[in-house]
């Protein structure tokens, strides 16, 4: 399953932003996978924190093979002692089991959160142990498929913005200007900022100021 968007969103963004329109035309449609199971999505994001994408994929597959279904019951039945041997740190295993307990006792309403606004959903998700605002925003985008997510805390999005708009720095004021322009389809814009940051558009460069170390390296100074 991929994040759902189409011509309506692309036409709107292209009409609103000429430079983003050029990127959209060069990159074409982007297929980004989503997981519409909120419980497994939260667990998956906790597992993936501060490890490589490859390591995350390996551990996640190991979890699914061991648990069968990743839900509150299977997590609690396994417990911290059986989650750790799968490659999960003790702290992450605690976060995951704490989340499962909250779902089971109803203190986290995993169904009701779908009815909440973006701001309310982010607040509830980021109240969970191991989930910060950025992770909550990624869950909104890649699980709940909310259409208007643009994360200021995402360094790759900021890099993509610098590359597309030729800025040396994206501060909060500038970021909000683009958010207003691209709303209500910021999630689709995010896909293209990530693509630009990843090198999908030849000729685009990052306009961030070079660090002193970079300048010395370029000059051949050691």
């Amino acid at each position: 399953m991929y994040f759902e968007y189409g011509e309506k969103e692309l036409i709107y963004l292209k009409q609103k932003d000429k430079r983003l329109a050029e990127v959209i035309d060069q990159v074409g449609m982007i297929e980004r996978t989503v997981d519409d199971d909120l419980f497994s999505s939260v667990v998956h994001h906790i597992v993936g924190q501060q490890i490589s994408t490859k390591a995350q994929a390996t551990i996640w597959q190991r979890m699914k093979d061991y648990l069968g279904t990743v839900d509150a019951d299977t997590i609690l039945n396994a417990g911290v002692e059986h989650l750790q041997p799968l490659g999960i740190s003790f702290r992450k295993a605690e976060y995951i089991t704490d989340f499962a307990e909250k779902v089971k006792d109803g203190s986290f309403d995993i169904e009701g959160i779908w009815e909440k606004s973006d701001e309310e959903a982010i607040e509830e998700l980021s109240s969970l142990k191991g989930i910060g605002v950025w992770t909550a925003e990624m869950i909104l985008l890649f699980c709940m498929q909310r259409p208007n997510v643009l994360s200021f805390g995402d360094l790759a999005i900021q890099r993509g913005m610098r590359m597309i708009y030729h800025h040396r720095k994206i501060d909060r004021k500038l970021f909000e200007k683009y958010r207003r322009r691209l709303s209500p389809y910021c999630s689709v814009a995010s896909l293209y900022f990530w693509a630009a940051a990843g090198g999908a558009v030849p000729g685009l460069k990052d306009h961030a100021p070079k660090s002193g170390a970079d300048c010395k390296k370029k000059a051949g100074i050691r």
Side-chain angles (χ1 to χ4, degrees):
M1 180 185 299
Y2 299 110
F3 184 85
E4 294 182 8
Y5 72 99
E7 286 301 314
K8 178 182 72 173
E9 293 85 356
L10 294 181
I11 290 171
Y12 179 89
L13 292 173
K14 288 165 72 171
Q15 288 175 342
K16 286 285 187 176
D17 193 301
K18 182 179 178 181
R19 286 185 175 173
L20 185 59
E22 293 172 355
V23 171
I24 290 171
D25 286 339
Q26 290 186 67
V27 174
M29 293 291 291
I30 295 174
E31 293 184 339
R32 286 292 296 263
T33 57
V34 296
D35 176 5
D36 63 357
D37 184 316
L38 185 55
F39 185 92
S40 70
S41 183
V42 170
V43 174
H44 197 179
H45 276 85
I46 293 174
V47 168
Q49 290 173 353
Q50 298 179 325
I51 61 175
S52 70
T53 302
K54 183 178 180 181
Q56 179 186 23
T58 299
I59 295 170
W60 185 242
Q61 188 59 54
R62 202 178 290 154
M63 277 190 73
K64 291 193 294 183
D65 291 344
Y66 178 75
L67 297 174
T69 301
V70 181
D71 59 23
D73 288 327
T74 58
I75 291 292
L76 292 175
N77 286 337
V80 172
E81 66 275 16
H82 290 114
L83 292 174
Q84 276 192 274
L86 302 176
I88 301 167
S89 70
F90 177 77
R91 178 167 291 184
K92 287 183 182 179
E94 280 194 323
Y95 292 161
I96 291 167
T97 53
D98 182 74
F99 170 53
E101 288 170 358
K102 284 181 167 64
V103 170
K104 284 292 287 184
D105 67 22
S107 57
F108 184 87
D109 186 357
I110 201 164
E111 297 300 329
I113 197 170
W114 291 88
E115 306 303 320
K116 295 186 179 295
S117 68
D118 289 355
E119 293 76 15
E120 291 169 335
I122 289 169
E123 183 177 357
E124 288 210 17
L125 286 165
S126 59
S127 73
L128 295 168
K129 293 179 180 179
I131 300 293
V133 171
W134 175 83
T135 304
E137 290 170 333
M138 295 305 102
I139 292 170
L140 258 65
L141 207 165
F142 293 118
C143 172
M144 302 174 78
Q145 295 206 57
R146 294 294 176 92
N148 203 31
V149 178
L150 189 66
S151 176
F152 181 72
D154 192 293
L155 298 181
I157 283 180
Q158 289 204 26
R159 173 178 164 84
M161 285 180 154
R162 291 195 304 267
M163 294 170 73
I164 292 171
Y165 301 117
H166 301 177
H167 292 304
R168 291 167 63 83
K169 181 181 179 181
I170 304 292
D171 60 20
R172 175 64 79 171
K173 183 178 179 180
L174 190 56
F175 181 85
E176 292 301 329
K177 183 188 83 168
Y178 288 117
R179 186 203 296 276
R180 289 191 297 271
R181 180 188 299 177
L182 303 172
S183 181
Y185 300 124
C186 284
S187 293
V188 177
S190 293
L191 300 181
Y192 289 92
F193 291 138
W194 278 316
V201 182
L204 286 185
K205 66 177 184 178
D206 193 345
H207 293 265
K210 299 293 184 182
S211 68
D214 290 337
C215 292
K216 287 182 178 180
K217 184 176 180 181
K218 188 173 182 181
I221 301 171
R222 297 181 182 275

